C-alpha cells in the first residue's frame, strides 16, 4: 500500500501540476484575448474621437473662412458673388480652376475672380451652372498692376511651369525692388482697386535694353483656394445675385 501510495501520489502530483499549468495557460490565453478585444475597442473609440475632432476643427476653419469672406464682402464696394472651387485643372498648358457658378447666376465671360487674399483670375469658359477660371499664373493671363511702394505700373503675366509670374513693361529707371508688393488697378472695372496681386521675388536689370526682367510670386496659391468671389461690373450690380 505504501508503495502504491508513493507511486500514485507522485503521479497525482504531476497530473495536478500539469492540470494547474494548463488551467493557468488557458486563463492567460483568455485574458490576452479579452485584452486584445478591449484594445481593439479602445482603438475604435480613439479613432472615432479623432475623426470627430478633425471634423470639428474643419468646421471651425470653415466658419473662420466664411467670417473672413463676409467681412471682405462688406468692405468691398463692388457687388460680389461667392462661389466654391470644385476642381483644379491639371493640364500643363492651362492653369485654372472650376467653380460652382454659371450663367444662371449672372456670370459672364471675362468677369474678375478674387479671394480674400488677393486676385485669382478671370472667367474663361462657362455653362449654366459652372465656370472655368483662368488664373493669373496662366501664360495667357495679363493683369494691370501697380507697385504699391513706388507706383510703377506694369502688366503681370503668368508662367505656369514655374507657378510664378513676370512683370512686364517696367522701365529700367523705374523704382522696383525685391519684396515690393503688387496691387490691382481698377482698369476695365474687372478687379477692385488695391487688392493684393503678388510680391516681387527677383529684379534683373537689362543693360542692353530699356526694360527690366522681374519675377513675381502670386499672393494666391491656386491649389489651395476653396472659396472665391466673382466681381460684377458696376453697371451690372443691380442684377447680381448675392
Amino acid at each position: 500500500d505504501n508503495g502504491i501510495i508513493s507511486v500514485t501520489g507522485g503521479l497525482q502530483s504531476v497530473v495536478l501540476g500539469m492540470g494547474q499549468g494548463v488551467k493557468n495557460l488557458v486563463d492567460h490565453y483568455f485574458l490576452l484575448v479579452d485584452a486584445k478585444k478591449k484594445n481593439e475597442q479602445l482603438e475604435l473609440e480613439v479613432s472615432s474621437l479623432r475623426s470627430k475632432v478633425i471634423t470639428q476643427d474643419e468646421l471651425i476653419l470653415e466658419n473662420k473662412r466664411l467670417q473672413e469672406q463676409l467681412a471682405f464682402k462688406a468692405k468691398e464696394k463692388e457687388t460680389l458673388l461667392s462661389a466654391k472651387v470644385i476642381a483644379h485643372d491639371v493640364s500643363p498648358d492651362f492653369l485654372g480652376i472650376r467653380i460652382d457658378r454659371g450663367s444662371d447666376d449672372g456670370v459672364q465671360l471675362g468677369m474678375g475672380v478674387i479671394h480674400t487674399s488677393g486676385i485669382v483670375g478671370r472667367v474663361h469658359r462657362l455653362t449654366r451652372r459652372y465656370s472655368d477660371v483662368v488664373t493669373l499664373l496662366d501664360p495667357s493671363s495679363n493683369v494691370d498692376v501697380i507697385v504699391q511702394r513706388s507706383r510703377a505700373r506694369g502688366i503681370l503675366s503668368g508662367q505656369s511651369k514655374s507657378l510664378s509670374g513676370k512683370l512686364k513693361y517696367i522701365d529700367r529707371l523705374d523704382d522696383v525692388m525685391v519684396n515690393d508688393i503688387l496691387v490691382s488697378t481698377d482698369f476695365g472695372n474687372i478687379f477692385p482697386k488695391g487688392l493684393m496681386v503678388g510680391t516681387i521675388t527677383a529684379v534683373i536689370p537689362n543693360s542692353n535694353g530699356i526694360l527690366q526682367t522681374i519675377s513675381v510670386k502670386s499672393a494666391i496659391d491656386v491649389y489651395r483656394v476653396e472659396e472665391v468671389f466673382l466681381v460684377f461690373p458696376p453697371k451690372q450690380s443691380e442684377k447680381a445675385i448675392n
Side-chain angles (χ1 to χ4, degrees), residues 145-157:
V145 297
I146 290 179
V147 179
Q148 190 178 54
R149 179 183 59 82
S150 66
R151 313 311 289 177
R153 192 163 185 163
I155 300 295
L156 178 66
S157 294

Side-chain angles (χ1 to χ4, degrees), residues 80-81 85 94-99 107-125 131-145 156-158 184-185 187 189-192 195-198 218-222 225 227-232:
L80 305 178
L81 174 67
V85 177
F94 179 75
L95 252 178
I97 59 175
R98 179 164 294 171
I99 58 177
V107 180
Q108 295 185 7
L109 292 175
M111 288 179 63
V113 180
I114 63 177
H115 184 264
T116 54
S117 299
I119 287 180
V120 177
R122 299 181 187 178
V123 174
H124 176 65
R125 292 186 295 257
S131 300
D132 288 341
V133 178
V134 58
T135 69
L136 54 81
L137 294 178
D138 188 89
S140 66
S141 173
N142 291 287
V143 178
D144 192 60
V145 297
L156 178 66
S157 294
S184 61
T185 71
F187 182 76
N189 292 319
I190 298 173
F191 301 109
L195 282 185
M196 179 80 166
V197 177
S218 170
I220 301 293
D221 185 340
V222 296
V225 172
E227 298 95 6
V228 296
F229 290 105
L230 291 133
V231 183
F232 283 88

Side-chain angles (χ1 to χ4, degrees), residues 79 106-108 111 231-241:
T79 302
V107 180
Q108 295 185 7
M111 288 179 63
V231 183
F232 283 88
K235 63 180 180 179
Q236 295 183 5
S237 295
E238 297 81 9
K239 302 178 183 180
I241 301 174

Side-chain angles (χ1 to χ4, degrees), residues 195-216:
L195 282 185
M196 179 80 166
V197 177
T199 305
I200 293 177
T201 56
V203 178
I204 304 174
N206 189 347
S207 58
N208 298 322
I210 61 173
L211 302 178
Q212 302 183 66
T213 301
I214 301 172
S215 298
V216 177

Side-chain angles (χ1 to χ4, degrees), residues 30-64:
F30 282 113
L31 285 173
L32 289 176
V33 170
D34 186 57
K36 183 180 179 182
K37 288 182 179 180
K38 289 182 178 179
N39 285 337
E40 290 176 349
Q41 183 64 33
L42 287 173
E43 287 177 1
L44 288 174
E45 291 177 3
V46 170
S47 178
S48 177
L49 289 172
R50 186 182 294 115
S51 178
K52 290 180 180 179
V53 170
I54 292 173
T55 301
Q56 184 178 15
D57 289 345
E58 186 65 20
L59 289 173
I60 292 173
L61 291 172
E62 182 179 13
N63 184 54
K64 182 180 178 181

Side-chain angles (χ1 to χ4, degrees), residues 1-8:
D1 289 340
N2 290 339
I4 292 173
I5 291 173
S6 298
V7 172
T8 56

